Amino acid sequence: MTNREKCNDSLSATYVAPATFDLDSLQNGIAAGDPFLAQENTSGSLGDERICPRIQRDNPAKTINDLPAEILVRIIDAVLDEMAYLPYFLGGYYLTTLKTLAAVCKWWETIIQSTPTFWTIIESTTTPDEMEYMLRKSGNCLLTFRQLIDSTLDVFPIGGVDGFDFLDFVSLNMARCSALSVAMKWGSQAARVLESPAPKLRAATIVASACSIDKDIHLFDGQAGALEDLWLSQIPIRWDLGLPTRLRRVEISYRSLPISRLPHPQQIVSGLSSCPEIEVVRLIGADMLFQRLNWEGLEVQMPTLELPMLKELKLENMSVGGSGYILRSLWSPVLRNLEVKERSQFDSIAALLHPPCPLLVEFVRRALPQNQLFSVTLESVRVDLQISGGERHVGISVRCGNPDELSRWLAEEFAAELSSVPELRLRVSSTRHQSEFQGLRKLVEALTNVERLICLNVDGGAGVVLAEHLASPHQASDGWHWNWPRLTHMELGDAWKWPTLALNVIRERYGASEEGPEGPDVGSLKRHAPPPLTSLWLDGMKSTHPETFHDIERIVGKKALDYVDVDYDSKNSE
């Protein structure tokens, strides 16, 4: 719903006589005190035959000048709505567009002058006189304020009102504000606006390039009962005093703030407790490459807070321990998107996984049976987990010193659910010995029904673990069976770096077909042959190791190696 739709009297607005409206004076700007504000005439409405005879004509409109008022209002409203909800870094030409539409003809000018909701978006590119004029023309309608800043020069745009004067103007009219979009260099410039009561405010975006506020802001003095959407950047707030009660979507970034200004995880949970209808929470902490964030009191866990409508939760750079605390404090039965990222601090991932986090565990447990994506990345100092299933997605990407801990946690916590996962995307760029990948070994063993294996690269001991799993059958009551008995598709993106190992794995697993359909006997038990590969992708193997490539081709067949997945790069860059 737009601001114009919220006004109950858009077409019954007081009529302004066209003869008293000087469009040129408004377009060109005038000195304060010039009589360019039209004198209102209350002698009739737009539907009055004396004033607007076109509306009562029986003949249909023949030209654009003859459109009925109701239709013309809808047309202009549709044009203006294109600019009503622009992001904070765009816009600045709303009034210019309004002037252009008014210049089409006298009839359009009359309609625009007589519709208060067309004058409700006030931008910092307007002059003080224009702002006052729009304020009066908007009647009692709710307002949208938008302050723009040049993203390259980090200054207020030239040609409009001074940035401080505009914010003063906004703060004086916050009682009528329903949408606020402000961009500025210093956060202190918005303090007065943020502390002004805003009972009608529904959406607010406050973006500062740098923080210069020496205190935490009590948002809108606690009087923003209608606020549903809130986006703050570099603006410290009083979490302990709660957030607006009707808030549905909140995104707050502290990316450039000193770590001392970050809210404690307990304060965050306390603040969210005042928002029973919250649906989206996105929190971005500070970039702390050279600082250490050690939260105190995280061992004292708060009672679980249930947010029955929470669908998306994203935590970034809140420290592994801080993110773990928040996750263990929240619960939502309808969560659809969960992301935890830590790019600055180097910590143990155990602080996120232990003690068990019911929200995280249950979310992963529900996503795995409907698996559409199961991707595990283990690096020397980073882990990344991406799981998508049904309408759910979980993403964990943190810097840590024990990447194999994630594999162990998955294998031990979700053994039953992993058995139904059909596709594994694995990437390991670590030179650690295979003895340091016991968690990975457990993970591949828990994945009993993999049909598609996609490896961008698997280095060091992890490659040995994977090769052993592929090339080693296990004993069952009816004979020897291969691990991953349904595997028919493999993409080995870095097999050219370990050609001998790749050849040995392929020969051991699929070369037995030369002995017969069931393979050779092993002792007194039959060794069952795996299903043939329908597709095998060996990036760079043919050009770097042609002899090895042709040996593999003789084993799996040329048809399997002719497979080309045109979407391979995009899939593995996710």
Side-chain angles (χ1 to χ4, degrees), residues 175-451:
R176 288 181 56 192
C177 180
S178 70
L180 176 67
S181 179
V182 176
M184 70 209 74
K185 182 175 183 179
W186 302 106
S188 58
Q189 296 168 339
R192 184 175 175 183
V193 173
L194 287 168
E195 293 179 327
S196 300
K200 304 295 181 65
L201 186 65
R202 296 186 61 182
T205 297
I206 316 292
V207 177
S209 301
C211 175
S212 59
I213 303 178
D214 56 2
K215 63 177 181 177
D216 292 347
I217 297 294
H218 184 196
L219 277 178
F220 307 111
D221 197 32
Q223 301 179 55
L227 187 61
E228 296 183 354
D229 294 88
L230 176 64
W231 179 21
L232 300 177
S233 177
Q234 319 304 346
I235 305 292
I237 64 172
R238 291 285 302 274
W239 284 86
D240 57 313
L241 296 179
L243 298 177
T245 56
R246 292 187 59 184
L247 201 61
R248 291 182 176 273
R249 291 161 290 274
V250 58
E251 178 173 346
I252 300 180
S253 172
Y254 298 93
R255 195 177 297 277
S256 299
L257 265 68
I259 61 174
S260 60
R261 304 302 301 276
L262 265 64
H264 192 281
Q266 291 178 350
Q267 294 177 325
I268 293 174
V269 176
S270 176
L272 292 175
S273 66
S274 61
C275 310
E277 300 179 3
I278 195 75
E279 297 178 7
V280 177
V281 176
R282 300 170 184 160
L283 300 177
I284 303 175
D287 290 330
M288 300 164 289
L289 296 178
F290 305 104
Q291 302 179 74
R292 182 72 179 172
L293 179 59
N294 292 314
W295 299 118
E296 296 182 359
L298 295 183
E299 66 280 357
V300 181
Q301 193 68 43
M302 297 179 64
T304 300
L305 170 64
E306 181 170 354
L307 299 174
M309 301 178 67
L310 183 64
K311 299 178 181 178
E312 179 179 320
L313 176 60
K314 293 186 177 182
L315 304 173
E316 181 178 342
N317 288 350
M318 297 299 295
S319 86
V320 176
S323 296
Y325 183 93
I326 295 173
L327 290 181
R328 279 187 286 273
S329 301
L330 301 180
W331 172 257
S332 172
V334 297
L335 192 64
R336 291 292 180 267
N337 190 8
L338 174 61
E339 293 188 20
V340 177
K341 296 182 180 180
E342 179 54 60
R343 300 175 179 175
S344 298
Q345 302 239 341
F346 184 84
D347 209 341
S348 170
I349 194 175
L352 178 65
L353 308 178
H354 308 291
C357 172
L359 181 65
L360 176 60
V361 171
E362 186 62 24
F363 189 77
V364 174
R365 199 179 302 282
R366 292 179 181 181
L368 281 173
Q370 306 177 60
N371 178 261
Q372 297 166 327
L373 171 66
F374 182 72
S375 173
V376 179
T377 298
L378 307 176
E379 298 180 359
S380 299
V381 293
R382 189 182 75 92
V383 298
D384 185 276
L385 172 68
Q386 302 294 327
I387 301 175
S388 294
E391 298 179 350
R392 297 178 176 87
H393 173 80
V394 58
I396 298 176
S397 180
V398 301
R399 297 180 74 236
C400 63
N402 55 336
D404 195 51
E405 182 67 23
L406 176 65
S407 304
R408 186 186 304 277
W409 175 73
L410 289 169
E412 295 176 353
E413 191 71 49
F414 309 103
E417 291 78 13
L418 289 171
S419 63
S420 63
V421 173
E423 179 177 291
L424 169 62
R425 299 189 182 193
L426 181 64
R427 177 173 182 172
V428 183
S429 55
S430 173
T431 57
R432 299 181 183 223
H433 189 266
Q434 65 188 77
S435 61
E436 299 185 56
F437 286 103
Q438 296 306 311
L440 178 61
R441 190 182 298 276
K442 290 184 177 182
L443 177 60
V444 296
E445 290 174 354
L447 293 160
T448 56
N449 287 297
V450 172
E451 300 173 13

Side-chain angles (χ1 to χ4, degrees), residues 444-449 468-486 508-509 522 525-530:
V444 296
E445 290 174 354
L447 293 160
T448 56
N449 287 297
E468 290 178 351
H469 187 76
L470 287 169
S472 302
H474 63 273
Q475 185 177 347
S477 59
D478 60 342
W480 293 86
H481 292 265
W482 294 95
N483 296 314
W484 295 347
R486 299 182 180 180
E508 184 68 24
R509 185 179 179 93
V522 179
L525 297 176
K526 180 71 69 178
R527 184 166 72 171
H528 298 273

Side-chain angles (χ1 to χ4, degrees), residues 71-196:
I71 295 178
L72 185 52
V73 166
R74 291 178 179 272
I75 293 174
I76 297 175
D77 190 70
V79 174
L80 296 177
D81 268 352
E82 293 293 325
M83 294 166 286
Y85 297 105
L86 291 173
Y88 72 92
F89 51 84
L90 294 177
Y93 47 87
Y94 180 85
L95 182 58
T96 301
T97 302
L98 197 61
K99 295 176 184 177
T100 301
L101 294 172
V104 170
C105 65
K106 202 67 176 179
W107 177 228
W108 283 48
E109 175 188 320
T110 300
I111 292 296
I112 290 174
Q113 279 281 41
S114 305
T115 309
T117 52
F118 291 165
W119 300 87
T120 56
I121 298 181
I122 302 177
E123 297 176 315
S124 58
T125 49
T126 56
T127 66
D129 287 332
E130 290 171 338
M131 287 195 302
E132 292 293 341
Y133 184 76
M134 296 181 74
L135 186 65
R136 192 175 72 83
K137 293 296 294 182
S138 62
N140 295 321
C141 295
L142 299 180
L143 302 172
T144 293
F145 294 113
R146 187 155 54 207
Q147 175 165 303
L148 300 99
I149 190 171
D150 191 303
S151 59
T152 57
L153 300 179
D154 212 19
V155 295
F156 295 106
I158 299 174
V161 66
D162 176 82
F164 296 98
D165 291 343
F166 181 80
L167 292 175
D168 286 342
F169 177 85
V170 172
S171 65
L172 293 174
N173 294 280
M174 284 298 292
R176 288 181 56 192
C177 180
S178 70
L180 176 67
S181 179
V182 176
M184 70 209 74
K185 182 175 183 179
W186 302 106
S188 58
Q189 296 168 339
R192 184 175 175 183
V193 173
L194 287 168
E195 293 179 327
S196 300

